[in-house]
């Protein structure tokens, strides 16, 4: 079973981003993936800000990411880019910490004008961390995620369709890469 870790950089647990993230997690779990999360807000702020690589909480988060077969990186867009909170966490990963891992970006912003933030802000950083299987990702506009009477996130049809396509593509790539890796390990024995 492939392991996927979701890295979230939202400073708010009430962000509409989590409606998108939860939808992707449920879709992957239904297909048999093991999914865990690393929320930057759960890490000690001082450890993030002062780049304390020796912090037990940081080391645990880095270990979780390094042992994953694939990664989802999720963030709201602030000032035409992902959050500084996410950047602080990504800065603590080893230089080639995403080598061989497919990466699916999930972003949400107030306007479609920030659509290219995935390509121009996030992807160069992910590439510098060794990621080579960077999917297009999904950018959602705030208005595509509403709340029902109980406060649960409701995704509009168009967003759900795009998420379904992206998650299916992600699943296919993860299965292909993990299968190749298992084949290589078996032939080395």
């Amino acid at each position: 079973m492939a392991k996927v870790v979701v890295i979230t950089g939202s400073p708010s647990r009430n962000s509409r981003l989590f409606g998108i993230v939860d939808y992707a997690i449920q879709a992957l779990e239904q297909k048999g993936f093991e999914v865990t999360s690393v929320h930057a807000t759960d890490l000690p702020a001082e450890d993030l800000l002062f780049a304390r690589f020796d912090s037990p909480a940081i080391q645990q988060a880095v270990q979780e990411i390094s042992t994953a077969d694939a990664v989802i990186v999720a963030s709201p867009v602030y000032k035409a880019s992902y959050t500084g909170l996410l950047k602080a966490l990504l800065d603590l990963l080893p230089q080639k910490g995403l080598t061989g891992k497919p990466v699916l970006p999930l972003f949400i912003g107030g306007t479609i004008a920030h659509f290219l933030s995935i390509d121009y802000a996030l992807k160069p950083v992910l590439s510098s961390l060794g990621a080579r299987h960077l999917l297009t990702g999904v950018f959602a506009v705030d208005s595509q995620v509403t709340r029902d009477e109980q406060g649960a996130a409701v995704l509009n049809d168009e967003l759900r369709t795009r998420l379904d396509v992206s998650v299916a593509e992600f699943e296919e790539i993860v299965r292909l890469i993990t299968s190749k890796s298992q084949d290589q390990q078996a032939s080395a024995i």
Side-chain angles (χ1 to χ4, degrees):
M1 169 176 13
K3 179 182 173 188
V4 176
V5 66
V6 179
I7 304 170
T8 59
S10 177
S12 170
R13 287 298 190 137
N14 293 324
S15 173
R16 293 177 179 160
L17 174 71
F18 289 102
I20 298 167
V21 168
D22 291 344
Y23 186 89
I25 289 171
Q26 289 174 3
L28 289 168
E29 287 177 340
Q30 289 173 355
K31 295 179 186 225
F33 286 83
E34 175 188 343
V35 183
T36 59
S37 297
V38 173
H39 301 294
T41 54
D42 291 344
L43 299 171
E46 285 191 5
D47 292 350
L48 284 171
L49 291 175
F50 293 109
R52 292 185 179 142
F53 292 91
D54 60 346
S55 158
I58 298 297
Q59 289 179 344
Q60 182 179 355
V62 169
Q63 177 67 21
E64 189 74 29
I65 295 164
S66 68
T67 59
D69 297 305
V71 176
I72 292 174
V73 178
S75 179
V77 173
Y78 295 161
K79 309 290 190 245
S81 186
Y82 55 91
T83 64
L85 186 59
L86 177 60
K87 179 67 164 98
L89 177 54
L90 293 175
D91 285 347
L92 294 171
L93 296 180
Q95 184 60 40
K96 295 298 177 185
L98 297 179
T99 299
K101 298 178 191 323
V103 180
L104 174 63
L106 300 177
F107 274 31
I108 191 166
T111 172
I112 196 68
H114 297 299
F115 171 73
L116 292 175
S117 60
I118 292 173
D119 291 332
Y120 291 116
L122 181 68
K123 285 187 177 181
V125 173
L126 298 177
S127 291
S128 77
L129 290 169
R132 298 293 176 262
H133 308 285
L134 295 168
L135 282 78
T136 302
V138 174
F139 180 89
V141 178
D142 285 340
S143 62
Q144 293 179 304
V145 182
T146 57
R147 302 253 182 225
D148 64 15
E149 299 81 36
Q150 290 77 35
V154 178
L155 283 57
N156 78 9
D157 292 340
E158 189 269 337
L159 177 57
R160 278 197 318 273
T161 299
R162 288 190 297 120
L163 279 166
D164 289 342
V165 169
S166 290
V167 169
E169 180 184 5
F170 183 64
E171 173 197 2
E172 183 178 329
I173 290 171
V174 173
R175 288 192 193 281
L176 178 66
I177 290 172
T178 55
S179 174
K180 280 184 182 179
S181 176
Q182 290 169 352
D183 289 347
Q184 289 172 349
Q185 289 173 359
S187 66
I189 295 175

